[in-house]
PDB file of all heavy atoms in Angstrom:
ATOM      1  N   HIS A 380    -240.125 -28.268  62.059  1.00  0.00           N
ATOM      2  CA  HIS A 380    -240.908 -28.205  63.306  1.00  0.00           C
ATOM      3  C   HIS A 380    -240.112 -27.895  64.565  1.00  0.00           C
ATOM      4  O   HIS A 380    -240.703 -27.614  65.606  1.00  0.00           O
ATOM      5  CB  HIS A 380    -241.773 -29.465  63.474  1.00  0.00           C
ATOM      6  CG  HIS A 380    -241.024 -30.711  63.812  1.00  0.00           C
ATOM      7  ND1 HIS A 380    -241.617 -31.752  64.498  1.00  0.00           N
ATOM      8  CD2 HIS A 380    -239.745 -31.096  63.566  1.00  0.00           C
ATOM      9  CE1 HIS A 380    -240.733 -32.723  64.652  1.00  0.00           C
ATOM     10  NE2 HIS A 380    -239.599 -32.358  64.084  1.00  0.00           N
ATOM     11  N   HIS A 381    -238.778 -27.903  64.492  1.00  0.00           N
ATOM     12  CA  HIS A 381    -237.976 -27.499  65.653  1.00  0.00           C
ATOM     13  C   HIS A 381    -237.662 -26.002  65.659  1.00  0.00           C
ATOM     14  O   HIS A 381    -237.000 -25.511  66.569  1.00  0.00           O
ATOM     15  CB  HIS A 381    -236.661 -28.282  65.710  1.00  0.00           C
ATOM     16  CG  HIS A 381    -236.840 -29.763  65.895  1.00  0.00           C
ATOM     17  ND1 HIS A 381    -237.563 -30.293  66.940  1.00  0.00           N
ATOM     18  CD2 HIS A 381    -236.426 -30.831  65.161  1.00  0.00           C
ATOM     19  CE1 HIS A 381    -237.572 -31.617  66.853  1.00  0.00           C
ATOM     20  NE2 HIS A 381    -236.893 -31.971  65.776  1.00  0.00           N
ATOM     21  N   ASP A 417    -243.955 -36.785  63.393  1.00  0.00           N
ATOM     22  CA  ASP A 417    -242.502 -36.993  63.390  1.00  0.00           C
ATOM     23  C   ASP A 417    -242.120 -37.657  64.716  1.00  0.00           C
ATOM     24  O   ASP A 417    -242.792 -37.484  65.732  1.00  0.00           O
ATOM     25  CB  ASP A 417    -241.811 -35.628  63.245  1.00  0.00           C
ATOM     26  CG  ASP A 417    -240.288 -35.724  63.131  1.00  0.00           C
ATOM     27  OD1 ASP A 417    -239.618 -35.883  64.173  1.00  0.00           O
ATOM     28  OD2 ASP A 417    -239.787 -35.634  61.994  1.00  0.00           O
ATOM     29  N   ALA A 418    -241.026 -38.412  64.698  1.00  0.00           N
ATOM     30  CA  ALA A 418    -240.598 -39.133  65.904  1.00  0.00           C
ATOM     31  C   ALA A 418    -240.214 -38.197  67.045  1.00  0.00           C
ATOM     32  O   ALA A 418    -240.198 -38.610  68.206  1.00  0.00           O
ATOM     33  CB  ALA A 418    -239.401 -40.025  65.576  1.00  0.00           C
ATOM     34  N   HIS A 419    -239.881 -36.947  66.697  1.00  0.00           N
ATOM     35  CA  HIS A 419    -239.457 -35.982  67.718  1.00  0.00           C
ATOM     36  C   HIS A 419    -240.558 -34.972  67.988  1.00  0.00           C
ATOM     37  O   HIS A 419    -241.352 -34.650  67.102  1.00  0.00           O
ATOM     38  CB  HIS A 419    -238.195 -35.244  67.253  1.00  0.00           C
ATOM     39  CG  HIS A 419    -237.059 -36.155  66.901  1.00  0.00           C
ATOM     40  ND1 HIS A 419    -236.789 -36.530  65.603  1.00  0.00           N
ATOM     41  CD2 HIS A 419    -236.156 -36.794  67.672  1.00  0.00           C
ATOM     42  CE1 HIS A 419    -235.747 -37.351  65.587  1.00  0.00           C
ATOM     43  NE2 HIS A 419    -235.348 -37.542  66.832  1.00  0.00           N
ATOM     44  N   ASP A 507    -239.592 -40.568  60.687  1.00  0.00           N
ATOM     45  CA  ASP A 507    -238.467 -41.111  61.453  1.00  0.00           C
ATOM     46  C   ASP A 507    -238.901 -41.967  62.646  1.00  0.00           C
ATOM     47  O   ASP A 507    -238.050 -42.530  63.347  1.00  0.00           O
ATOM     48  CB  ASP A 507    -237.491 -40.002  61.889  1.00  0.00           C
ATOM     49  CG  ASP A 507    -238.173 -38.767  62.443  1.00  0.00           C
ATOM     50  OD1 ASP A 507    -239.408 -38.765  62.567  1.00  0.00           O
ATOM     51  OD2 ASP A 507    -237.465 -37.787  62.762  1.00  0.00           O
ATOM     52  N   GLY A 544    -239.026 -34.973  59.401  1.00  0.00           N
ATOM     53  CA  GLY A 544    -237.850 -35.839  59.395  1.00  0.00           C
ATOM     54  C   GLY A 544    -238.073 -37.167  58.702  1.00  0.00           C
ATOM     55  O   GLY A 544    -239.104 -37.409  58.056  1.00  0.00           O
ATOM     56  N   TYR A 546    -234.933 -40.465  57.937  1.00  0.00           N
ATOM     57  CA  TYR A 546    -233.517 -40.455  57.559  1.00  0.00           C
ATOM     58  C   TYR A 546    -233.002 -41.756  56.966  1.00  0.00           C
ATOM     59  O   TYR A 546    -231.843 -41.842  56.592  1.00  0.00           O
ATOM     60  CB  TYR A 546    -232.683 -40.048  58.788  1.00  0.00           C
ATOM     61  CG  TYR A 546    -233.181 -38.731  59.343  1.00  0.00           C
ATOM     62  CD1 TYR A 546    -234.083 -38.683  60.411  1.00  0.00           C
ATOM     63  CD2 TYR A 546    -232.832 -37.536  58.732  1.00  0.00           C
ATOM     64  CE1 TYR A 546    -234.596 -37.474  60.865  1.00  0.00           C
ATOM     65  CE2 TYR A 546    -233.338 -36.325  59.177  1.00  0.00           C
ATOM     66  CZ  TYR A 546    -234.220 -36.304  60.249  1.00  0.00           C
ATOM     67  OH  TYR A 546    -234.725 -35.112  60.685  1.00  0.00           O
TER      68      TYR A 546
HETATM   69 ZN1   ZN B 767    -237.675 -36.063  63.784  1.00  0.00          ZN
END
Side-chain angles (χ1 to χ4, degrees):
H380 72 154
H381 297 305
D417 184 280
H419 304 97
D507 45 4
Y546 305 96

